[in-house]
Amino acid sequence: MSVIIKNGRVIDPGRINGPADVLIENGTIAAVGSGLKAPAGATVIDATGKWVLPGFVDLHVHFREPGFEYKETIATGAAAAVAGGFTSVCCMPNTQPVNDNQSITEFILDKAKAAGLANVFPIGAITKGSEGKELAEFGDLKKAGCVAVSDDGKPVMNGMVMRRALEYARAFDLPVVDHCECTHLSEGGCMHEGQVATEMGLHGIPSASEDVMVARNLALAELTGGRLHLAHLSTAGSVRMVREAKARGIRVTAEACPHHFLLTEEAVREFNTNAKMNPPLRSRKDVEAVKAGLKDGTIDVIATDHAPHAAFEKEREFDYAPFGIVGLETAWGLALVLAEEGVLTVEQVVAALTIQPARAFGLAKGTLAVGADADVTIVDPEAQWVVDPGQFKSKGRNTPFAGWKLKGRVVSTLVGGRVVHP
Amino acid sequence: MSLKRKDLLGIQDMPVEEINLVLETAESFKEVSGRDIKKVPTLRGKTVVNLFFEPSTRTRTSFELAAKRLSADVINFAVSASSVSKGETLLDTARNIEAMQADFIVLRHPMAGAPNILAKLLRASIVNAGDGGHEHPTQALLDLYTLREKKREFKGLRLAIVGDIAHSRVARSNIYALTKLGAEVRVIGPPTMMPLEVERLGVKVFYDMDEGLRGVDVIMMLRLQLERQGIALFPSIREYSRLYCLTPERVTLAAPDALVMHPGPINRGVEIAPEVADSVSSVILDQVTNGVAVRMAVLYLLSGGK
């Protein structure tokens, strides 16, 4: 079975950035180059005026299944992923039950296979039940298909447990992903602690609650030599510390989410629960620091932290509404704003969505190299569109970006050489 | 005359003209409360529902009296906040009340922004009777009314608010109101009770009460929430009182004719000495009296002022 994508501009960071055709044979990339001949019977996709990119890789999604299928299922999550150009997603283990064992991991992989859309890579829990006490069986989790471990959303508060996790994970070369939040400092908080929270009388989550845990985790990564990945950095302090740690050669990678480089605490005014996420939207100074971190490579990865919730859960008192927003179907248009603003080049934006996340977790994805799986995202860089949550494939409609005019839209997504979107 | 708005959610977004309109209107309603027959037919046939998710005697009674003196029908609906977090959502509760054709919902809620949600989704007029640490607009309006009675001019008035500024809706609403009207506002309390960047609200911060009280025309005490002691915000009630209780000696630091205010209920001997609460400079009970008139004015003006 052959597919040929013709006449597009191929952007495969570090490899090619220019007009080329992409030939796919039996689900893998067979050739990338000018004037490739379509084999007999090949499906021809005309990408004139389009960009042809490696399929995006998202290291941070919540697909809610098992346990919270009313918010999202693996099938609807995967549909949202491919609609947003993501061909590989890593789903966090905070399901019910928690993905802390082989059978849950297998369940997730079965559901993903049945959906037949994006590649779904489960992330296992660091501790049993994500309770922060005893380590989960990393060996089993890895064998079953987990690509990293994390207690996302329930930060590992006990420093000794985190130390052991980083050490033990080395045996399996698993990255340990931490949502950096000191839950003592953030207790009762629902937005960034700063001027807007002061005006609104809402309880704040200080930047320090993230900073102290980033500092601890970096010290433990240095101590153990473990592979540390820091989820959704949101503060100037985090960026500064990660920059310093990288300069000293500590093994750490970091991600940032579009909302943390595009929105500030101001978005919360009017008690907008769709601007409530954890870590919270921070100050202008933090936003600038996150962008600077992306620019100088301190932050390797753009991830979405796709966190769908039912509408009724968000139509609540701000304090009671759950944290989180959906992100898969807006990420590309939002990430391109960085190129528009001159923070990153287009190639750097693509790298932060493809090869860099793939490398952070050691996934053989995010490239159009010959022999790679033919996961390809074709985008129209000029297409203007307005974010309409009603059109999302995700069950979640919870986005602060509704009504935003974006430039750059995913027009077609291929996974293993098969068109899965539209 | 009327307020060109459906709801009263806070003082922050309220223009000075509207504040003045409420204060002027309240004057005539205060006269009603002084009559032998304390009732006017203004809101006859209208329904006011007091929806209270927090225990409150004073504010609820004040709203109830205000509505009754305007001849409205009043229903009190008290819900314990704990049962709500499990059961019916705020929105569903309020929708049910609205389905019974309520014209006004007076909402008291422990969470900031709760009235904003209702205001967005319901047709009824929402009056915020205190939402978490956010705002308590009618309290600020009645405080302003009391100040105007006693001091006439807001411009240049020096006023100190003492206590847990971080968690106080009364402090926020008063800060918004008084800074708008040209008063000089100081906030006094331990640093643990000061919200981050509070100076940006246009106030001066004092940790030392004696220093902060020097020369002020008005001392506004806040109720100390006793449950916040221990690891939270202050080590003990004993130490708090020594540092921040308004004693007769401290009152002498203020201007000679300084007023003492308190939104109630007071903790005698904790944040305010009994002899100060009962002194001639105290206008605490005037505040309560004026509360009814101000709330009558608010309900009247929101109903279209007809």
Side-chain angles (χ1 to χ4, degrees):
Chain A
M1 225 190 75
S2 311
V3 178
I4 188 159
I5 304 167
K6 291 193 71 76
N7 309 322
R9 170 180 164 195
V10 178
I11 308 174
D12 187 7
R15 308 176 58 83
I16 175 173
N17 183 352
D21 302 334
V22 176
L23 178 64
I24 298 166
E25 300 269 20
N26 300 320
T28 58
I29 304 290
V32 177
S34 301
L36 296 183
K37 288 242 154 34
T43 308
V44 180
I45 298 174
D46 181 18
T48 305
K50 311 287 195 297
W51 295 348
V52 181
L53 317 172
F56 305 151
V57 179
D58 193 348
L59 298 186
H60 197 147
V61 303
H62 298 271
F63 278 179
R64 307 299 190 199
E65 189 177 2
F68 306 100
E69 291 82 357
Y70 68 97
K71 295 178 195 258
E72 190 84 291
T73 63
I74 291 164
T76 57
V82 296
F86 289 90
T87 54
S88 296
V89 292
C90 303
C91 54
M92 284 294 180
N94 61 336
T95 46
Q96 182 63 258
V98 169
N99 181 18
D100 61 1
N101 64 70
Q102 189 181 334
S103 56
I104 302 292
T105 302
E106 285 169 355
F107 169 87
I108 293 167
L109 289 171
D110 283 350
K111 289 281 178 183
K113 197 172 171 196
L117 296 166
N119 304 295
V120 175
F121 296 101
I123 298 171
I126 294 175
T127 60
K128 295 190 180 110
S130 286
E131 284 174 355
K133 293 178 190 144
E134 297 168 47
L135 292 184
E137 294 169 330
F138 292 0
D140 260 16
L141 288 169
K142 167 120 186 188
K143 192 159 157 261
C146 286
V147 295
V149 288
S150 179
D151 277 354
D152 185 65
K154 290 182 99 184
V156 181
M157 285 298 295
N158 183 320
M160 183 56 109
V161 173
M162 191 61 176
R163 176 205 169 141
R164 295 298 181 221
L166 281 160
E167 281 174 339
Y168 188 62
R170 291 192 65 179
F172 313 98
D173 200 26
L174 279 171
V176 178
V177 184
D178 201 31
H179 162 126
C180 299
E181 175 190 354
C182 169
T183 55
H184 300 300
L185 286 170
S186 64
E187 192 181 342
C190 56
M191 73 171 291
H192 174 62
E193 185 172 348
Q195 195 197 345
V196 178
T198 291
E199 285 182 38
M200 298 175 75
L202 288 168
H203 297 291
I205 300 174
S207 296
S209 78
E210 177 169 317
D211 297 351
V212 297
M213 294 302 265
V214 168
R216 180 203 72 174
N217 289 338
L218 291 171
L220 293 175
E222 185 166 20
L223 172 70
T224 60
R227 220 169 125 185
L228 177 66
H229 178 77
L230 301 177
H232 43 48
L233 294 190
S234 73
T235 70
S238 304
V239 176
R240 190 179 64 236
M241 288 184 275
V242 172
R243 181 178 293 127
E244 188 265 354
K246 282 190 165 183
R248 289 195 301 112
I250 296 173
R251 277 223 289 181
V252 58
T253 50
E255 72 193 29
C257 304
H259 44 277
H260 288 130
F261 57 73
L262 291 172
L263 298 175
T264 69
E265 57 188 332
E266 291 291 334
V268 178
R269 285 197 195 275
E270 312 295 313
F271 299 93
N272 178 7
T273 54
N274 283 332
K276 179 179 177 181
M277 67 289 283
N278 191 6
L281 299 174
R282 303 255 183 214
S283 70
R284 172 60 53 197
K285 172 180 77 81
D286 295 303
V287 167
E288 293 308 323
V290 169
K291 285 189 198 174
L294 283 159
K295 191 177 175 77
D296 71 7
T298 299
I299 298 171
D300 314 85
V301 171
I302 296 172
T304 67
D305 193 5
H306 178 83
H309 292 291
F312 72 87
E313 295 174 301
K314 283 286 197 180
E315 271 184 2
R316 295 218 59 180
E317 296 89 326
F318 195 86
D319 288 81
Y320 293 156
F323 290 105
I325 62 168
V326 291
L328 285 167
E329 293 170 81
T330 48
W332 167 246
L334 295 172
L336 264 192
V337 175
L338 292 172
E340 200 110 313
E341 290 180 348
V343 176
L344 299 182
T345 63
V346 166
E347 192 168 329
Q348 285 170 326
V349 171
V350 174
L353 286 165
T354 56
I355 188 66
Q356 281 160 207
R359 280 195 191 126
F361 278 13
L363 309 175
K365 293 288 183 187
T367 176
L368 298 177
V370 171
D373 296 338
D375 297 347
V376 186
T377 293
I378 304 172
V379 301
D380 181 344
E382 297 302 323
Q384 310 247 13
W385 61 290
V386 175
V387 177
D388 173 8
Q391 304 296 315
F392 286 169
K393 304 280 187 213
S394 169
K395 285 191 184 183
R397 302 285 185 263
N398 46 312
T399 173
F401 296 108
W404 275 45
K405 288 190 185 67
L406 296 178
K407 197 176 154 193
R409 188 158 209 187
V410 174
V411 292
S412 190
T413 308
L414 286 76
V415 170
R418 200 163 54 84
V419 177
V420 289
H421 170 78
Chain B
M1 294 294 273
S2 72
L3 288 173
K4 289 182 179 43
R5 51 172 71 233
K6 175 169 86 73
D7 316 288
L8 177 64
L9 303 177
I11 301 290
Q12 193 179 17
D13 67 345
M14 203 172 180
V16 171
E17 306 78 66
E18 290 193 354
I19 293 174
N20 285 329
L21 176 60
V22 174
L23 300 183
E24 280 153 27
T25 311
E27 230 160 277
S28 51
F29 284 119
K30 188 167 180 185
E31 184 266 318
V32 171
S33 291
R35 290 183 200 164
D36 196 22
I37 294 168
K38 306 176 184 59
K39 217 174 177 83
V40 288
T42 316
L43 292 188
R44 198 169 59 190
K46 300 276 183 194
T47 304
V48 176
V49 176
N50 286 328
L51 179 56
F52 276 58
F53 289 81
E54 259 184 356
S56 151
T57 315
R58 169 178 338 244
T59 305
R60 206 215 61 218
T61 309
S62 182
F63 268 108
E64 186 171 353
L65 274 177
K68 284 185 166 160
R69 286 182 186 169
L70 293 168
S71 303
D73 297 312
V74 188
I75 298 295
N76 291 313
F77 198 115
V79 201
S80 88
S82 60
S83 70
V84 168
S85 56
K86 301 171 209 145
E88 193 174 48
T89 65
L90 168 67
L91 195 55
D92 284 329
T93 305
R95 276 183 178 140
N96 275 280
I97 289 168
E98 192 179 56
M100 300 174 203
Q101 316 298 337
D103 301 289
F104 293 90
I105 296 176
V106 176
L107 180 72
R108 158 68 62 93
H109 198 284
M111 296 305 168
N116 301 62
I117 306 175
L118 297 194
K120 226 176 287 172
L121 298 163
L122 299 187
R123 288 182 314 278
S125 280
I126 310 299
V127 180
N128 181 4
D131 61 327
H134 181 218
E135 286 232 40
H136 193 349
T138 58
Q139 177 71 45
L141 290 166
L142 73 89
D143 289 342
L144 292 179
Y145 186 90
T146 308
L147 282 173
R148 211 170 69 142
E149 261 185 349
K150 311 284 176 187
K151 294 285 182 190
R152 300 283 154 210
E153 245 327 308
F154 293 113
K155 223 169 215 87
L157 198 69
R158 283 162 302 175
L159 184 138
I161 306 177
V162 187
D164 185 355
I165 308 298
H167 296 90
S168 174
R169 52 193 173 216
V170 175
R172 272 183 189 73
S173 287
N174 268 303
I175 289 169
Y176 294 138
L178 289 157
T179 51
K180 254 180 228 197
L181 292 163
E184 176 197 319
V185 182
R186 306 175 180 182
V187 290
I188 303 174
T192 47
M193 292 184 173
M194 291 296 162
L196 223 57
E197 303 183 43
V198 66
E199 307 80 12
R200 291 170 75 168
L201 303 185
V203 300
K204 256 175 133 163
V205 180
F206 292 86
Y207 303 136
D208 180 333
M209 187 173 187
D210 293 357
E211 199 189 320
L213 290 183
R214 229 168 283 273
V216 298
D217 303 301
V218 182
I219 307 168
M220 188 179 280
M221 300 303 298
L222 299 174
R223 177 183 164 79
L224 182 72
Q225 286 172 288
L226 303 179
E227 64 277 14
R228 294 199 197 278
Q229 73 167 327
I231 63 151
L233 300 178
F234 57 98
S236 66
I237 291 171
R238 176 176 167 273
E239 177 148 304
Y240 183 85
S241 291
R242 279 163 61 142
L243 296 173
Y244 299 105
C245 179
L246 186 62
T247 58
E249 299 73 46
R250 284 189 166 131
V251 174
T252 63
L253 297 169
D257 56 347
L259 299 179
V260 173
M261 307 180 82
H262 193 300
I266 63 175
N267 295 305
R268 281 179 185 262
V270 178
E271 74 266 359
I272 188 164
E275 53 274 44
V276 173
D278 304 331
S279 70
V280 287
S281 40
S282 163
V283 294
I284 296 173
L285 295 175
D286 301 76
Q287 290 173 271
V288 177
T289 305
N290 293 335
V292 178
V294 163
R295 289 174 176 125
M296 287 170 79
V298 165
L299 293 173
Y300 165 74
L301 291 169
L302 286 177
S303 74
K306 284 171 280 221

